[in-house]
Amino acid sequence: MIDWDDVRYFLAAARGGSVRAAAARLGVNHSTVLRRITQLEERLGAQMFEKLPSGYRLTAAGEEVLELAAQMEASSHQLETRVLGRDQSVRGLLRVTLTPILATHLLMPDFADFARLHPDIEMEILSSGELANLTNREADVAIRVVYDRQTLPLNLHGLKGPELFGGVYISRDRLAASRAGTPDPIRWIVISMHGIPDWASGGEVRTTGVPFRVTDAGAEIAAVRQGLGITTLPCFVGDPDPLLVRVPGTELHMYGTLWLLTQGETRKTKRVRLFTDFVSHRLAAYASLLAGLSTRDD
């Protein structure tokens, strides 16, 4: 019989284009991937890859195996999720994927409350920049901002949450200094991969000089607090911050709608149902904050 683990290594190499990429994805060393692929080739009596300077390219046999291997993977996931869906225990692992800014600036207190209510559920919060894939069982629940509902995969089950808005923010001290005529330049602070959004304007504040670029939201928030310039932030980040204020004359922008997403039979487990019910109620309570309607009095 073909070892399913060998097939997993083959799929990772085929999708990643190299043994190195497959090793990184699977968390193993280079030699393990090579050994597994060699075992599969020996079992099937055919070469799966052609090694090129640019990476690994599937042979004709490899192309045929890839299609069947993907079907095996889908069947494996279906088997796993169906069995998992019958699990009604409030013990065990619960993996939640969301963006870092939602985790650190909005929902971590709620996750803590949930963990206290259900101490036997082992929570794993996956708050990296790259969201985990529900279909591949990399997470049980995803909390995502979705601009167009039609883009949601058909195999995902969704609970619709509040709409999320953003605005343009500056530090209170820097705005006061600008109004007083301080000559220091006011720059746009941008996350390098995004740049200045099309919808954003400087409003009353005139920006000068080159942008100040950062690579993550944490650095972006720290930079605007330090008075380096103006930036766009979700309202749930900018409005509660006592050091920040919206730039006068600017408009809010809708980023999208928050959705709680689950996949297949996974959503039927008690752990997932408890969590999605809990978080959906908490998100509903944040609707005004997320929409930018609950600002402080100046």
Side-chain angles (χ1 to χ4, degrees), residues 7-281:
V7 177
R8 286 198 307 115
Y9 283 82
F10 162 76
L11 277 171
R15 290 166 176 167
S18 70
V19 170
R20 188 176 303 277
R25 179 175 181 82
L26 296 171
V28 298
N29 58 44
H30 185 271
S31 61
T32 300
V33 177
L34 281 175
R35 177 169 55 81
R36 290 289 195 168
I37 291 174
T38 299
Q39 287 178 185
L40 181 63
E41 289 178 332
E42 290 175 350
R43 174 69 68 178
L44 296 176
Q47 184 177 347
M48 299 293 102
F49 294 101
E50 179 183 0
K51 189 173 182 181
L52 303 174
S54 58
Y56 276 53
R57 185 172 68 184
L58 287 167
T59 62
E63 292 282 1
E64 291 184 25
V65 171
L66 178 61
E67 182 179 353
L68 296 172
Q71 294 174 13
M72 290 178 65
E73 181 185 48
S75 296
S76 174
H77 289 153
Q78 186 178 22
L79 173 64
E80 186 176 358
T81 55
R82 283 194 177 181
V83 172
L84 186 65
R86 299 181 183 277
D87 179 7
Q88 297 305 306
S89 172
V90 291
R91 294 178 179 270
L93 179 63
L94 176 70
R95 293 167 298 177
V96 182
T97 177
L98 72 168
T99 60
I101 201 165
L102 276 172
T104 57
H105 288 270
L106 184 69
L107 288 173
M108 194 56 70
D110 304 296
F111 295 162
D113 288 344
F114 182 81
R116 294 185 191 104
L117 285 171
H118 304 285
D120 291 327
I121 294 179
E122 178 188 354
M123 292 191 67
E124 183 176 346
I125 305 302
L126 307 172
S127 57
S128 65
E130 184 175 342
L131 294 175
N133 189 310
L134 296 184
T135 302
N136 292 340
R137 290 292 327 286
E138 294 173 357
D140 302 305
V141 182
I143 303 173
R144 294 181 183 169
V145 180
V146 179
Y147 184 74
D148 181 0
R149 182 176 181 175
Q150 300 303 316
T151 63
L152 287 175
L154 295 177
N155 66 319
L156 297 185
H157 177 77
L159 280 175
K160 185 179 180 182
E163 294 177 340
L164 174 62
F165 284 76
V168 183
Y169 292 86
I170 189 172
S171 78
R172 290 178 176 273
D173 291 345
R174 190 66 190 87
L175 180 61
S178 174
R179 286 172 168 170
T182 301
D184 289 346
I186 298 179
R187 307 180 183 191
W188 273 103
I189 302 165
V190 297
I191 295 179
S192 298
M193 68 183 75
H194 298 147
I196 303 170
D198 293 339
W199 59 267
S201 72
E204 177 185 304
V205 173
R206 182 178 178 184
T207 56
T208 58
V210 296
F212 185 87
R213 299 187 182 278
V214 295
T215 58
D216 62 86
E220 177 190 23
I221 295 165
V224 72
R225 285 173 175 166
Q226 288 297 318
L228 279 165
I230 64 175
T231 195
T232 58
L233 293 172
C235 294
F236 72 83
V237 176
D239 289 345
D241 194 319
L243 299 180
L244 304 182
V245 65
R246 291 185 199 167
V247 174
T250 57
E251 302 292 333
L252 296 184
H253 172 77
M254 181 180 169
Y255 287 131
T257 304
L258 281 171
W259 284 79
L260 279 167
L261 302 172
T262 54
Q263 192 273 331
E265 299 290 324
T266 304
R267 73 177 188 272
K268 298 178 183 178
T269 67
K270 192 167 185 177
R271 295 190 298 277
V272 170
R273 287 190 291 107
L274 285 171
F275 179 80
T276 53
D277 288 347
F278 180 88
V279 173
S280 64
H281 284 93

